[in-house]
């Protein structure tokens, strides 16, 4: 019978989670180019860009940790790529402060729908292939720009 040191057993249990963390980290960093490109299109100051990135990453991350702790299961909150791309398309047409107000109103509407239990009914109105197409089409310009 082979004797396996306790530390080696612990390390072996960490191999699978760490192997999943590496590609997820790469994706998270690569996705960062979308809000950065959008902040350039909206001509945000470095302070506005920093605050926006904090709102996109830190706040959902902290809330995810809180929800995971409260419910004892992984629950992740994140930002929506399609919304960020939509904001980029409005560059030069709408002021940044107006976009912030619209985002707050949109967030309040989503929270209200969730509180009333209506999200499943609203989501059922949009077929899944349409959702997939919107996400793919919104990311495509950023992917194509990589090869320019």
């Amino acid at each position: 019978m082979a004797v396996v040191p306790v530390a080696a057993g612990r390390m072996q249990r960490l191999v699978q989670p760490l192997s999943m963390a590496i590609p997820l980290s790469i994706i998270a960093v690569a996705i960062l180019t979308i809000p950065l490109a959008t902040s350039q299109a909206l001509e945000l100051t470095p302070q506005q860009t920093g605050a926006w990135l904090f709102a996109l990453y830190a706040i959902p991350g902290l809330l995810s940790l809180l929800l995971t702790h409260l419910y004892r299961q992984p629950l992740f909150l994140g930002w929506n790529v399609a919304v960020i791309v939509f904001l980029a398309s409005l560059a030069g047409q709408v002021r940044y402060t107006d976009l912030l107000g619209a985002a707050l109103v949109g967030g309040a509407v989503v929270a209200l729908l969730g509180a009333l239990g209506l999200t499943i009914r609203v989501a059922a109105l949009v077929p899944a292939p349409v959702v997939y197409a919107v996400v793919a089409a919104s990311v495509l310009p950023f992917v194509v720009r990589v090869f320019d």
Side-chain angles (χ1 to χ4, degrees), residues 33-34 136-148:
T33 61
I34 296 171
S138 67
V139 175
L140 186 61
F142 292 97
V143 174
V144 169
R145 224 177 280 149
V146 169
F147 300 103
D148 284 346

Side-chain angles (χ1 to χ4, degrees), residues 16-129:
Q16 186 174 8
L18 288 175
S19 67
M20 292 305 299
I22 293 169
L24 289 175
S25 299
I26 292 170
I27 290 170
V29 170
I31 294 274
L32 181 61
T33 61
I34 296 171
L36 287 175
T38 302
S39 71
Q40 286 180 339
L42 293 171
E43 299 177 352
L44 301 183
T45 66
Q47 292 80 14
Q48 290 172 321
T49 301
W52 192 37
L53 290 176
F54 182 82
L56 287 175
Y57 284 93
I59 293 171
L62 293 173
L63 290 174
S64 296
L65 289 173
L66 177 67
L67 289 173
T68 298
H69 176 72
L70 290 175
Y71 291 99
R72 304 282 184 212
Q73 63 180 341
L75 296 170
F76 177 72
L77 302 175
W79 49 273
N80 189 326
V81 174
V83 173
I84 303 296
V85 173
F86 176 69
L87 293 177
S89 73
L90 296 175
Q93 301 173 26
V94 181
R95 294 181 311 185
Y96 177 64
T97 54
D98 294 339
L99 292 175
L100 289 177
L104 288 174
V105 171
V109 169
V110 169
L112 181 64
L113 287 173
L116 296 174
L118 299 174
T119 52
I120 293 174
R121 290 183 185 167
V122 173
L125 296 174
V126 183

Side-chain angles (χ1 to χ4, degrees), residues 8 10-22:
R10 287 185 192 147
M11 287 302 292
Q12 191 170 7
R13 284 185 294 172
L14 292 176
V15 169
Q16 186 174 8
L18 288 175
S19 67
M20 292 305 299
I22 293 169

